Amino acid sequence: MKSWWNLKPSINQFILDTELQRCQCLRQFKQILSQMILTGFITNTFAASRLIHFSTHSTFIPFHYSHKIFNHLHNPNVFAWNTMMRAHLDLQHSPHHALYLYKLFLLKGHATPDNYTHPIIIRSCAARLAQFEGEELHDHVVKFGVESDVYVRNTLINLYAVCGDMVSARKVFDESPVLDLVSWNTVLAGYVQLGDVEEAECVYARMPKRGVIASNSMIVLFGRKGCVEKARRIFYEIQGKDMISWSALVSCYEQNEMYEEALALFVEMNANGVMVDEVVVVSAISACSRLLNIQTGISVHALAVKIGIEGYVSLQNALIHLYSSCERILDAQKLFNDSVLLDDISWNSMISGYLRCGSIEKAKTLFYSMPERDVVSWSAMISGYAQHERFSEALALFQEMQLHGIRPDEFVLVSVISSCTHLAALDLGKWIHAYISKNKLRVNVILGTTLIDMYMKCGCVENAFEVFYAMEEKGVSTWNALILGLAMNGLVKESLNMFEDMKKTGTVPNEITFVGVLGACRHMGLVDEGRHYFGSMIHEHKIEPDIKHYGCMVDLLGRAGLLKEAEDMIESMPMLPDVATWGALLGACRKHHNNEVGERVGRKLVQLYPDHDGFHVLLSNIYASKGNWGNVLEIRGIMAQQGVVKTPGCSTIEANGILHEFLAGDKTHPQINDIEHMLDLVAAKLKIEGYVPTTSEVSLDIDEEEKETVLFRHSEKLAVAFGLITIAPPTPIRIMKNLRICNDCHTVVKLISKAFDREIVIRDRHRFHHFKLGACSCMDFW
């Protein structure tokens, strides 16, 4: 092999520089390395340093070659050490290896660190957020006398800033004998990262020269903190705006829900010929999603394809969200299927898209196809089930999530607790509450309010109060849940007192609050109080009544027998009455046996709402109460002709963590024989108590004995009998019914609570009934 090397070091150095300039591949580098080893020139420290510098900066030379050359050196100079440390940090992304080399450098003591060494190592500490080690290096900086070097001080400022210690960063900054633009930008970036608007503004105002970088940082900070006007002012003051300037303000608008402004600025940015990147395009797509502006979204998508950035995962995810939000699920699906790179967000976005469009089975299939499911995936599916009223599946999936060892977040828990509420799954709801307490999860306003709502709707008032008083932060929704819940559970006085306490805390009531307050008055027939609160809502709190408020007042007046005033209120409403409002009036007519008004209103409603089973049944019952069986048969014929089916009474009860469902006359339950036996026992005890069936509740032209049999097979009676068998005292028997409890069932359950000394809680369509010792919390007003 031909040797290129001369005997004189200076000539050899010239030859080495020349050969390295010509070196274009690994084979040529190996030849140079071989010649240096053969001639012994590799031992020349300066030459070896040049070789290491070249190898670390050449993409075609594996990094282990540089390591071998470095390890071959007996006395590497500071340049070689710096080169290797910088390579580990910047090229190999191994800051811990750079720190190890620095310790080895000090240990060997062949050379002394210079003002290039410490910035490399300080940056290594910053990359690892290793402030303690950085502080030790700060001592080294002083020890080796390089503390006055502006580059060294800038890296120290950056170290403390990225570690969130702006006190130390500011101390280094203030004590610096020389400050350059990097110094100012670095300390400003620290305050921006910390979100300290006040200090950032002070630094920005004092800057001798405000460059584009500093201005961009301020726009980012102001956008994050909601200071839109300040961000806009700085943007328009910038001379020579770059792409980041435009992107920062577009993001500022998007973050602060100014979606139309974000899109307008993006269009202006593009019209001015400013290059766009995936970051600003994602902001524009997000704005389109929020506005459901599919046409502009398609245009932005086309622009992304044109400039070749459509392959970015973040952009793909934003587009999937856009198309699914705008009910273009097939376009979202095509994007997902065509994507080369998919991350967890991609899968979760697609699952959420399917759920948003009601394609639950597709979402489920995709969920179980995921390579790896995170808490967001589970949350999306559980929330999707809950939102589409598939509560049992939501709870089953939550239990599966527990088996996989996934720790739920507050979003999952809110959906699961809501599902427990709808299914009256109190045992599981209590378990989740215990889980929250055990794991010291923060109960925020949403989670706390959901817990209160669950306990109230399961009749556990004391548990609801426990959650309420333990919450550090309470929103108007929290107070509303308590006010509504107390009213629903018959604690009307407590509900109205809570409303007064709410006002004393400075919490401003909203329209939902007054639904609760008026509902409380309705549940106890407090007509004067209801009129007072209705007027207070309008005149004192300036809240315009909506259909629910009018409905409460109509129900309140109707229950009190003020049928003319109730009907007049309906006629004076500024909006069309809804089904619930008409139903309240018709129900009141039946309650007070005002058959004349009841028939007139009922006939009108059957014509207006031919598909509503409740109006047909109420009108039929009014006729039946008069013994007018011809009209009863007429109404039933109309129902059959129009395909209107009466909603069957259904009651659910939870026993040992399992929900049991009963329909009227149900004989399908596995324990039906035991239930029948218990009903016979109940019937015997109730006769001793003087019970006489209210057969007028059975709107059928059949004999009295058969009516009694039908009455005793109502769904809530079956559920109570099952509860007496399976739920040991003193645990209350809790039952949820889909319809209003009838008079006979109400009387029977009162007597059972006395005869069997059991507390029974029944939630019907309108309210709770707490039965104890022969009395009900509703005081027979429901």
Side-chain angles (χ1 to χ4, degrees):
M1 182 182 292
K2 178 182 176 182
S3 174
W4 291 302
W5 310 103
N6 198 293
L7 296 178
K8 292 184 178 180
S10 60
I11 296 176
N12 286 342
Q13 187 61 55
F14 173 76
I15 294 171
L16 174 62
D17 289 342
T18 304
E19 293 302 323
L20 288 177
Q21 288 176 9
R22 295 174 181 172
C23 184
Q24 299 293 323
C25 62
L26 181 60
R27 182 182 61 81
Q28 291 175 331
F29 181 76
K30 285 181 178 179
Q31 287 180 346
I32 296 170
L33 183 58
S34 297
Q35 287 295 320
M36 290 183 69
I37 292 171
L38 286 173
T39 60
F41 192 50
I42 193 69
T43 60
N44 184 289
T45 303
F46 184 76
S49 299
R50 293 282 296 147
L51 193 66
I52 290 170
H53 182 267
F54 178 81
S55 66
T56 56
H57 287 78
S58 299
T59 56
F60 56 84
I61 301 174
F63 187 66
H64 68 268
Y65 276 81
S66 304
H67 249 303
K68 286 183 178 180
I69 297 168
F70 182 77
N71 291 335
H72 189 75
L73 299 179
H74 295 297
N75 298 309
N77 60 13
V78 67
F79 180 80
W81 284 101
N82 289 348
T83 301
M84 288 303 295
M85 287 186 281
R86 186 181 292 108
H88 274 298
L89 173 62
D90 295 334
L91 303 177
Q92 297 300 304
H93 308 294
S94 301
H96 57 290
H97 281 125
L99 288 168
Y100 169 75
L101 273 181
Y102 177 70
K103 293 173 184 176
L104 197 63
F105 179 24
L106 296 178
L107 189 64
K108 291 199 172 184
H110 296 311
T112 303
D114 60 12
N115 57 341
Y116 293 103
T117 309
H118 289 104
I120 298 168
I121 305 306
I122 293 168
R123 287 198 298 116
S124 299
C125 291
R128 302 180 68 217
L129 299 178
Q131 184 172 345
F132 179 75
E133 291 171 310
E135 288 170 348
E136 290 184 322
L137 281 169
H138 193 165
D139 292 337
H140 285 211
V141 165
V142 176
K143 177 182 175 182
F144 289 104
V146 292
E147 70 272 20
S148 61
D149 186 278
V150 67
Y151 181 37
V152 173
R153 296 191 77 88
N154 288 345
T155 53
L156 280 170
I157 294 169
N158 179 67
L159 164 70
Y160 290 123
V162 297
C163 292
D165 183 2
M166 285 308 297
V167 174
S168 298
R170 188 58 181 267
K171 189 172 185 296
V172 176
F173 177 82
D174 290 337
E175 293 176 355
S176 296
V178 178
L179 295 171
D180 61 7
L181 191 58
V182 175
S183 313
W184 287 96
N185 285 337
T186 305
V187 77
L188 178 64
Y191 285 122
V192 168
Q193 177 184 293
L194 206 62
D196 192 333
V197 175
E198 186 177 345
E199 287 295 336
E201 284 188 287
C202 287
V203 170
Y204 185 73
R206 287 178 52 206
M207 290 181 75
K209 182 181 178 182
R210 299 186 193 112
V212 176
I213 294 174
S215 297
N216 293 346
S217 296
M218 292 302 293
I219 295 172
V220 169
L221 174 62
F222 286 140
R224 203 189 311 152
K225 293 297 180 178
C227 307
V228 178
E229 284 306 315
K230 290 183 178 181
R232 183 162 30 209
R233 187 169 62 249
I234 287 182
F235 174 80
Y236 287 109
E237 287 175 354
I238 297 175
Q239 298 296 320
K241 301 175 185 66
D242 60 9
M243 180 184 69
I244 297 172
S245 312
W246 289 86
S247 299
L249 191 59
V250 172
S251 297
C252 168
Y253 286 145
E254 190 268 330
Q255 289 167 7
N256 289 280
E257 302 181 4
M258 298 172 66
Y259 306 117
E260 292 179 352
E261 290 85 348
L263 287 180
L265 189 66
F266 178 81
V267 170
E268 184 183 346
M269 175 183 181
N270 190 46
N272 287 343
V274 181
M275 183 179 69
V276 300
D277 62 0
E278 76 282 1
V279 175
V280 70
V281 171
V282 166
S283 294
I285 292 292
S286 177
C288 292
S289 299
R290 295 286 190 168
L291 294 170
L292 300 179
N293 187 339
I294 188 62
Q295 293 305 321
T296 303
I298 290 171
S299 299
V300 177
H301 186 183
L303 175 64
V305 173
K306 180 181 177 181
I307 60 179
I309 61 170
E310 77 280 7
Y312 283 94
V313 175
S314 58
L315 181 52
Q316 292 281 337
N317 296 340
L319 286 166
I320 289 170
H321 179 68
L322 166 71
Y323 287 121
S324 60
S325 298
C326 296
E327 299 183 1
R328 301 277 291 258
I329 196 65
L330 293 178
D331 292 321
Q333 184 176 299
K334 185 177 187 307
L335 269 172
F336 181 82
N337 293 337
D338 292 347
S339 294
V340 178
L341 295 173
L342 294 171
D343 61 6
D344 288 345
I345 298 174
S346 312
W347 288 85
N348 293 337
S349 298
M350 198 63 225
I351 289 170
S352 298
Y354 279 135
L355 291 169
R356 196 178 295 110
C357 297
S359 302
I360 300 172
E361 293 307 317
K362 287 185 177 181
K364 182 179 177 181
T365 301
L366 196 63
F367 174 78
Y368 284 109
S369 302
M370 288 185 73
E372 189 173 339
R373 294 183 285 274
D374 60 9
V375 67
V376 178
S377 319
W378 292 92
S379 179
M381 278 306 301
I382 292 170
S383 300
Y385 280 141
Q387 287 163 9
H388 288 88
E389 299 185 0
R390 293 170 67 160
F391 304 115
S392 297
E393 289 167 272
L395 296 185
L397 191 60
F398 175 72
Q399 290 168 334
E400 184 181 339
M401 177 184 179
Q402 295 300 294
L403 293 174
H404 281 78
I406 306 295
R407 182 185 172 93
D409 58 18
E410 63 269 21
F411 300 106
V412 175
L413 294 173
V414 165
S415 296
V416 175
I417 294 168
S418 297
S419 298
C420 291
T421 304
H422 283 88
L423 295 175
L426 179 61
D427 287 348
L428 181 56
K430 284 185 172 180
W431 181 89
I432 294 169
H433 188 189
Y435 176 91
I436 293 168
S437 301
K438 181 182 176 183
N439 291 276
K440 294 182 171 54
L441 297 177
R442 179 176 172 268
V443 179
N444 59 19
V445 171
I446 297 173
L447 184 56
T449 301
T450 308
L451 274 170
I452 291 169
D453 185 58
M454 179 200 71
Y455 280 128
M456 283 297 188
K457 288 179 178 174
C458 289
C460 301
V461 176
E462 290 183 4
N463 298 85
F465 269 118
E466 179 188 333
V467 175
F468 179 81
Y469 287 116
M471 289 175 65
E472 295 178 6
E473 183 185 356
K474 302 175 182 72
V476 64
S477 60
T478 315
W479 289 93
N480 288 347
L482 209 63
I483 292 167
L484 286 158
L486 288 168
M488 186 188 298
N489 280 277
L491 299 168
V492 172
K493 182 179 178 182
E494 291 82 349
S495 176
L496 297 178
N497 287 341
M498 193 57 62
F499 173 63
E500 297 303 322
D501 289 346
M502 172 188 179
K503 291 194 291 183
K504 288 175 185 175
T505 65
T507 306
V508 179
N510 60 14
E511 61 277 4
I512 297 172
T513 313
F514 280 97
V515 170
V517 171
L518 294 174
C521 297
R522 176 183 63 175
H523 286 312
M524 280 300 164
L526 305 176
V527 176
D528 291 338
E529 289 84 346
R531 287 171 177 150
H532 163 73
Y533 285 118
F534 189 75
S536 168
M537 176 182 70
I538 299 170
H539 303 297
E540 182 182 346
H541 296 281
K542 310 302 180 186
I543 296 174
E544 195 70 29
D546 62 20
I547 190 68
K548 290 184 179 179
H549 302 116
Y550 281 106
C552 285
M553 288 302 296
V554 169
D555 195 24
L556 171 62
L557 295 168
R559 284 169 185 264
L562 303 170
L563 299 178
K564 178 70 169 62
E565 188 176 345
E567 191 171 6
D568 288 344
M569 178 161 274
I570 290 179
E571 296 297 331
S572 66
M573 284 167 53
M575 72 284 292
L576 289 173
D578 62 357
V579 168
T581 307
W582 280 119
L585 179 61
L586 188 57
C589 290
R590 185 184 177 224
K591 175 182 174 67
H592 293 285
H593 308 292
N594 191 325
N595 295 328
E596 180 186 346
V597 177
E599 286 182 40
R600 176 169 53 79
V601 172
R603 285 284 183 183
K604 178 180 180 181
L605 294 180
V606 165
Q607 292 175 353
L608 285 174
Y609 303 97
D611 298 328
H612 194 277
D613 65 312
F615 293 149
H616 288 83
V617 171
L618 272 173
L619 182 58
S620 173
N621 289 345
I622 288 172
Y623 285 131
S625 66
K626 295 167 58 180
N628 193 341
W629 301 110
N631 288 98
V632 171
L633 291 174
E634 178 196 352
I635 296 299
R636 297 202 167 193
I638 293 171
M639 290 176 70
Q641 184 180 356
Q642 295 179 344
V644 179
V645 180
K646 179 184 181 294
T647 303
C650 174
S651 296
T652 58
I653 180 172
E654 184 182 29
N656 302 316
I658 300 171
L659 287 172
H660 299 261
E661 187 176 81
F662 294 92
L663 298 175
D666 203 342
K667 290 185 178 291
T668 61
H669 195 276
Q671 292 176 258
I672 189 63
N673 291 332
D674 296 331
I675 293 169
E676 295 278 0
H677 178 71
M678 177 54 73
L679 285 174
D680 292 340
L681 180 61
V682 167
K685 282 203 172 191
L686 294 193
K687 280 188 178 178
I688 296 172
E689 296 288 338
Y691 163 67
V692 178
T694 313
T695 54
S696 61
E697 292 287 340
V698 185
S699 302
L700 298 171
D701 188 14
I702 54 179
D703 61 48
E704 290 299 306
E705 185 177 350
E706 192 174 349
K707 283 186 177 183
E708 289 184 22
T709 303
V710 171
L711 267 181
F712 230 66
R713 293 299 181 272
H714 278 192
S715 64
E716 55 265 59
K717 291 191 179 91
L718 294 172
V720 169
F722 176 74
L724 290 170
I725 295 168
T726 56
I727 300 173
T731 304
I733 297 170
R734 301 179 187 278
I735 296 165
M736 306 296 159
K737 187 181 179 183
N738 65 331
L739 302 176
R740 175 185 174 276
I741 187 171
C742 74
N743 289 328
D744 186 73
C745 285
H746 195 268
T747 301
V748 166
V749 179
K750 277 201 302 182
L751 292 171
I752 290 173
S753 72
K754 179 181 178 182
F756 288 82
D757 192 21
R758 295 299 301 269
E759 183 181 351
I760 302 170
V761 181
I762 297 180
R763 187 183 90 191
D764 70 6
R765 190 172 186 173
H766 298 289
R767 64 177 300 164
F768 270 94
H769 300 266
H770 293 257
F771 299 94
K772 197 170 184 179
L773 300 175
C776 179
S777 60
C778 75
M779 298 168 63
D780 297 339
F781 187 90
W782 84 97

